[in-house]
Amino acid sequence: MLNSLDQFLATRVSALDLRAQRSELLASNVANADTPNYKARDFDFTQALQSALGGHRSNGGGLQVDRTSPAHLAGINGGTGNADVKYRIPVQASIDGNTVELDTELGQFTDNAVRFQADLTFVSSQIRLLQIAIQGQ
Amino acid sequence: MSLSHVFDIAGSALTAQSQRLNAVASNLANADSAASSNGQPYRAKQVVFTAVPLGRNAMGNDPTAMSGQGMGVRVTSVIDDPAPPRMVYDPKSPLADAKGYVTMPNVNVVEEMTNMISASRAYQMNMDMMNTAKNLLIKTLALGQ
C-alpha cells in the first residue's frame, strides 16, 4: 500500500525535485552573468524526468553502471542527481568567453518557477484526493 | 532541497556585485586624486569574478556530480587597472613634473558609470531570483494544508 502511495505521487515529486535542481542551475547562470569564461548550463527537463522515473534510459538520461556479472550491484541509477547537464549555445556570445544571456536565463527561470507552482498545485490536489479516499466520506 | 541553494548562489552574486559597486564608488570618488597615501596617483580598482562551486554537492568529491552542480560567484581578487595613467598639462600644480604634466588616476569615468549600471542591474536580477525562490519555498511549505 505504501509503495502504491509512493508511486501515486512519484511523478510529481520527481518533477518538483528536478524543477528545484534546474532553478539552482539557472540561478548559477544569472549569478555568473559577469564572470569571464563562465559557460551557461541547463538540462533538458523532459529527458531528465524520464530518466528519473526510470523510463527511456537507453536514449541518454543519467550515466548507467555497466554490469558484466549478475553478481554486480546495480548501483544507483535514475535519481534526480543524474540529469544530463549541457552547455547552452549562446545567440550572441560575448568577447570575454561568457555565454550567459540574461534575458534567456531569466525567462527560463520564471518559466521554471511557474511550472514548479503548477506541480505544487497538482501534488496538493493529489494529496486532497488521498485524504478524501482515507476518510471515506 | 535544491531550492534553498538558490539563496546561497544568488546571495554570493549579491555579495560580489556589491563589492563591484564598492570598487566603482572608490574609483569615482578618486577620479581626480592625483596623490594618494603612498604618494603615487590613485589607480582604478577592478574586481575579478570567479565561478565557485556552491550548493548541491559542493562538499562532495564525486567528480561525476560536478557537471550539474550549482556555481556561485566570488570576487577572488581586486586588481589595479593596468591602463596607463592620464597625463594632464598643469604646470601650476605642485605635482607637475619637469614638463608641466600631472599624472592623474587612470579612472575612466564613463566606464565606471556603465560598470555601476551593470552591477546594480545584476544585483536587482539576483534579488528577484531570491524572491521567486522564497515564494516557491513558502508555497512548498504550505503543501497539503
Side-chain angles (χ1 to χ4, degrees):
Chain A
M1 180 56 196
L2 218 68
N3 195 27
S4 65
L5 272 184
D6 192 36
Q7 273 170 8
F8 183 60
L9 295 171
T11 316
R12 293 294 164 198
V13 172
S14 317
L16 279 177
D17 231 354
L18 281 168
R19 290 272 171 224
Q21 198 184 325
R22 183 152 181 247
S23 73
E24 189 187 327
L25 271 183
L26 294 173
S28 304
N29 291 348
V30 174
N32 285 290
D34 292 316
T35 310
N37 292 317
Y38 180 84
K39 308 290 179 214
R41 297 164 307 156
D42 197 358
F43 60 78
D44 182 352
F45 184 82
T46 316
Q47 207 185 53
L49 186 61
Q50 278 173 354
S51 145
L53 293 174
H56 308 267
R57 288 240 173 82
S58 49
N59 57 10
L63 284 176
Q64 296 302 306
V65 179
D66 207 4
R67 286 193 291 171
T68 51
S69 152
H72 287 166
L73 295 175
I76 305 158
N77 46 24
T80 51
N82 290 340
D84 252 354
V85 177
K86 296 190 175 101
Y87 291 114
R88 204 190 288 294
I89 296 166
V91 182
Q92 301 176 81
S94 79
I95 201 163
D96 63 355
N98 187 306
T99 63
V100 178
E101 281 160 341
L102 271 182
D103 41 3
T104 316
E105 300 302 335
L106 219 64
Q108 291 295 326
F109 189 84
T110 312
D111 177 77
N112 197 52
V114 169
R115 285 169 199 273
F116 186 94
Q117 294 198 21
D119 276 334
L120 276 181
T121 314
F122 288 134
V123 174
S124 56
S125 65
Q126 276 180 320
I127 291 173
R128 241 190 331 273
L129 273 181
L130 281 178
Q131 278 170 341
I132 291 171
I134 291 166
Q135 287 165 356
Q137 286 170 354
Chain B
M1 190 70 192
S2 301
L3 259 185
S4 49
H5 295 318
V6 173
F7 290 107
D8 298 340
I9 293 164
S12 76
L14 291 185
T15 314
Q17 296 294 348
S18 69
Q19 259 179 286
R20 181 176 170 200
L21 216 50
N22 261 327
V24 170
S26 160
N27 290 348
L28 284 179
N30 287 294
D32 290 314
S33 305
S36 69
S37 52
N38 61 0
Q40 294 294 309
Y42 176 84
R43 293 192 77 94
K45 304 277 182 283
Q46 305 290 354
V47 292
V48 179
F49 283 171
T50 311
V52 289
L54 209 70
R56 198 172 53 89
N57 302 326
M59 296 303 138
N61 298 320
D62 181 7
T64 56
M66 291 295 277
S67 62
Q69 133 180 104
M71 299 287 262
V73 60
R74 187 177 294 155
V75 174
T76 43
S77 61
V78 180
I79 56 162
D80 282 348
D81 198 323
R86 195 156 44 93
M87 303 304 281
V88 174
Y89 184 67
D90 184 10
K92 293 191 298 295
S93 166
L95 296 162
D97 62 8
K99 290 179 181 163
Y101 282 94
V102 181
T103 316
M104 296 295 277
N106 57 352
V107 176
N108 185 334
V109 179
V110 178
E111 219 169 75
E112 295 303 332
M113 287 305 281
T114 52
N115 224 344
M116 181 188 79
I117 294 167
S118 170
S120 78
R121 286 274 180 258
Y123 194 95
Q124 283 176 15
M125 205 90 87
N126 281 291
M127 209 67 217
D128 282 354
M129 203 148 271
M130 272 175 130
N131 264 327
T132 310
K134 185 195 75 181
N135 287 334
L136 289 182
L137 274 178
I138 289 173
K139 289 215 166 118
T140 313
L141 282 177
L143 192 64
Q145 282 178 3

